[in-house]
Amino acid sequence: MHSRPIVALMKRLLLSLVIGCFGATAGFSEPITIFAASSLKSVLDDIASDWGGDPLRISYGSSATMASQIAQGAPADVFLSAHTDWVDWLGRKGIPIENASVFAGNSLVVVGSATGLEQKISLDQLDIFLGEKGRLSVGLVDAVPAGIYAKQALQHIDLWETLQNRLAQSTNVRAAAQMVARGEAAVGIVYTTDGLNDDRLEILATFDAQSHDPISYVALALSDTKPASDFVAYLRTEAAQAAFKSYGFAPPKDAQ
């Protein structure tokens, strides 16, 4: 009486088993999980669309935050940091970093709102430009790479002591740029790429490269899988480097 429903159920179970086995052996791949510095978002989204390998799952944020998550066991396959120090820090935490490689560079600029500021400014008069109430938007100066570089640059031009209490600090460089774009800070210290790729921002001044540590983006394969190492290698290919250049990034030093 109940044989037909039972037979139908068994057929469905068998079909599910066959599909499951086929999916496991027919080339379906797990995504490569990438933790990437927030300043890479625009260009990396483009690179991801052109990447012909395994699917990518990209999370963006501060290099400091992501390094901490990786040290605590977050399941990332690749780490793309905006500062070599955070890769070195992972090494001190016992994570192998021998395969780390620099794949791009950047520079540091002062930006203002494109609708409210169009003139260039003198870096050594930045405090005068801000006046008594203006705030300077930066990344967290003790953690976020762009904030670390900003502090070094302000120290280089002898304005750190003057401006350190005027800072509006954000958890990543994109957030720092957004503060300026929304008019919540008079100006900000961010990367050249942030100023070039947001129509709401105007680059008002550029810091000398000698005023701060070299801005180097470092790729680290955290898993020993071939897809992870293939993606890291892809970042140095002609196609990927052309994408970085189109967004205003500099090539790695050994390719200049």
Side-chain angles (χ1 to χ4, degrees):
M1 178 176 179
H2 300 292
S3 60
R4 288 182 179 177
I6 292 173
V7 170
L9 177 61
M10 292 181 66
K11 286 182 177 180
R12 288 197 296 271
L13 291 173
L14 181 60
L15 180 60
S16 297
L17 180 62
V18 170
I19 292 174
C21 291
F22 179 78
T25 59
F28 291 96
S29 303
E30 285 293 319
I32 304 169
T33 299
I34 300 171
F35 282 12
S38 61
S39 54
L40 291 169
K41 187 179 190 316
S42 296
V43 65
L44 201 58
D45 284 350
D46 272 6
I47 288 174
S49 67
D50 294 333
W51 159 251
D54 288 11
L56 306 177
R57 179 168 50 214
I58 309 175
S59 294
Y60 297 101
S62 163
S63 299
T65 300
M66 295 193 157
S68 178
Q69 292 171 345
I70 291 167
Q72 294 172 27
D77 298 305
V78 175
F79 178 39
L80 305 181
S81 175
H83 202 300
T84 57
D85 282 1
W86 285 113
V87 173
D88 293 339
W89 180 82
L90 286 175
R92 293 194 293 273
K93 293 293 182 179
I95 293 175
I97 62 170
E98 291 79 9
N99 65 20
S101 61
V102 175
F103 62 91
N106 215 328
S107 50
L108 201 65
V109 298
V110 176
V111 294
S113 169
T115 58
L117 296 166
E118 295 181 357
Q119 74 274 30
K120 301 301 180 182
I121 64 174
S122 174
L123 288 172
D124 59 4
Q125 294 184 335
L126 184 57
D127 55 331
I128 298 172
F129 183 83
L130 284 173
E132 295 182 1
K133 297 182 179 179
R135 294 198 301 165
L136 178 61
S137 180
V138 296
L140 290 168
V141 297
D142 293 324
V144 175
I148 294 171
Y149 298 129
K151 179 178 179 180
Q152 292 173 345
L154 290 173
Q155 289 172 328
H156 184 80
I157 60 175
D158 295 324
L159 282 180
W160 172 249
E161 295 297 331
T162 302
L163 295 178
Q164 62 176 316
N165 294 325
R166 308 274 298 280
L167 304 180
Q169 300 187 50
S170 297
T171 55
N172 61 70
V173 69
R174 286 178 69 89
Q178 290 293 317
M179 284 196 70
V180 180
R182 293 192 300 263
E184 296 169 2
V187 292
I189 300 178
V190 295
Y191 296 129
T192 295
T193 50
D194 297 302
L196 291 176
N197 297 303
D198 190 329
D199 292 338
R200 299 169 299 170
L201 298 175
E202 179 82 12
I203 294 177
L204 306 178
T206 301
F207 286 96
D208 189 287
Q210 304 304 314
S211 68
H212 52 78
D213 289 342
I215 301 174
S216 298
Y217 289 83
V218 186
L220 175 65
L222 295 161
S223 71
D224 56 5
T225 63
K226 188 174 185 298
S229 58
D230 283 350
F231 182 76
V232 168
Y234 181 75
L235 296 176
R236 299 264 310 197
T237 63
E238 184 177 345
Q241 287 296 306
F244 285 118
K245 182 178 180 180
S246 72
Y247 278 88
F249 289 88
K253 290 294 184 182
D254 60 2
Q256 294 182 16

